Amino acid sequence: MNCRSEVLEVSVEGRQVDEAMLALLHTILLHRSTGKFHYKKEGTYSIGTVGTQDVDCDFIDFTLVRVSSDELDRVIRKAVAEFKDALGNSGSDGMGQISLEFYQKKKSRWPFSDECIPWEVWSIKVNVVNLANEQERQICREKVGEKLGEKVINIVEVINRHEYLPKMPTQSEVYNVFDTSLKDVQPYLYKITYQITDSLGTSVSTTMRRLIKDTLAL
């Protein structure tokens, strides 16, 4: 199986890190989640509905749309908070990467544990910019909102391509494909990881500073 890999890059002010990451991660998970499966008998099932919720950002001119699941939101927020803290404490000029990996389990023979096979990975490269004054922060607030809108459109376009998805499982195999631990939604199995690095490059942050400078010049 070939694992599909997508890379997104964003440049944000420090206080925007968590909102930008939540916007992108929730967008992906919204399209990689289903309602809960209700099995009547093996091979016959119904799928519950997935509600959505609009959330206005405090530091970005953007409204994210997420799955209406407080449980899932808490899991994502915890991972993002850990990433933001590590980013702030790293001393690496505010550069890092958070990744959302979808995988499925393959049974292994005893005594080996199940094999986790990734089928899609989203990597979000983050550059944190330092701004001089409130005027620059206001411009950054607007520009980051515009960029997030473009990223969301890009995510939806990628997800709507007819590429690999795990086949719908039987009741006995549902745990190998979906995370069934949440009571109100059923995302594909996933894990969130991050790394802090000083080798991501500065092209995105340079672009953001140029956008702010050009706007101030108008």
Side-chain angles (χ1 to χ4, degrees):
M1 180 196 309
N2 292 325
C3 177
R4 183 164 59 253
S5 179
E6 299 291 338
V7 178
L8 305 171
E9 295 189 28
V10 293
S11 184
V12 296
E13 188 187 2
R15 62 181 182 174
Q16 298 171 326
V17 170
D18 47 357
E19 290 183 339
M21 297 304 97
L22 287 170
L24 297 175
L25 293 173
H26 268 305
T27 297
I28 297 167
L29 279 163
L30 174 62
H31 293 85
R32 288 289 182 244
S33 299
T34 73
K36 297 290 288 186
F37 281 28
H38 302 286
Y39 286 92
K40 300 174 182 178
K41 58 182 180 179
E42 189 68 28
T44 304
Y45 60 89
S46 61
I47 302 177
T49 58
V50 177
T52 60
Q53 181 177 349
D54 293 350
V55 180
D56 294 328
C57 296
D58 293 326
F59 302 112
I60 307 173
D61 284 348
F62 190 79
T63 299
L64 67 94
V65 181
R66 69 172 178 85
V67 173
S68 184
S69 168
D70 291 338
E71 284 185 290
L72 180 60
D73 184 54
R74 282 194 293 270
V75 173
I76 304 306
R77 285 183 180 275
K78 182 176 183 294
V80 168
E82 291 174 355
F83 172 62
K84 183 180 180 180
D85 288 345
L87 198 59
N89 297 330
S90 65
S92 64
D93 296 326
M95 290 183 288
Q97 176 175 296
I98 189 166
S99 297
L100 174 57
E101 175 186 301
F102 294 98
Y103 66 93
Q104 61 187 105
K105 293 179 181 178
K106 182 180 179 181
K107 291 291 184 182
S108 297
R109 292 183 178 179
W110 186 88
F112 302 104
S113 58
D114 292 347
E115 183 181 2
C116 295
I117 305 173
W119 53 270
E120 183 175 80
V121 178
W122 294 83
S123 299
I124 306 170
K125 296 182 177 182
V126 183
N127 287 274
V128 180
V129 297
N130 296 314
L131 303 178
N133 52 55
E134 191 58 37
Q135 185 179 14
E136 289 191 356
R137 292 188 185 94
Q138 183 59 37
I139 295 169
C140 185
R141 176 189 181 98
E142 298 170 0
K143 297 299 182 183
V144 170
E146 293 173 3
K147 292 297 181 182
L148 282 181
E150 294 173 3
K151 302 297 183 186
V152 167
I153 292 172
N154 176 244
I155 290 170
V156 174
E157 289 175 345
V158 170
I159 286 177
N160 283 338
R161 295 173 187 166
H162 295 292
E163 297 189 30
Y164 177 81
L165 281 176
K167 67 179 182 179
M168 288 296 104
T170 60
Q171 185 173 6
S172 60
E173 296 179 340
V174 67
Y175 306 102
N176 296 329
V177 176
F178 289 101
D179 177 356
T180 61
S181 65
L182 307 177
K183 65 181 181 181
D184 49 7
V185 69
Q186 195 164 275
Y188 284 99
L189 288 171
Y190 71 93
K191 62 180 178 180
I192 298 175
T193 58
Y194 66 82
Q195 65 183 78
I196 309 301
T197 177
D198 57 3
S199 60
L200 292 176
T202 58
S203 60
V204 178
S205 56
T206 301
T207 300
M208 177 57 69
R209 292 191 180 96
R210 187 182 302 116
L211 284 171
I212 293 173
K213 182 178 179 182
D214 290 346
T215 303
L216 287 171
L218 293 177

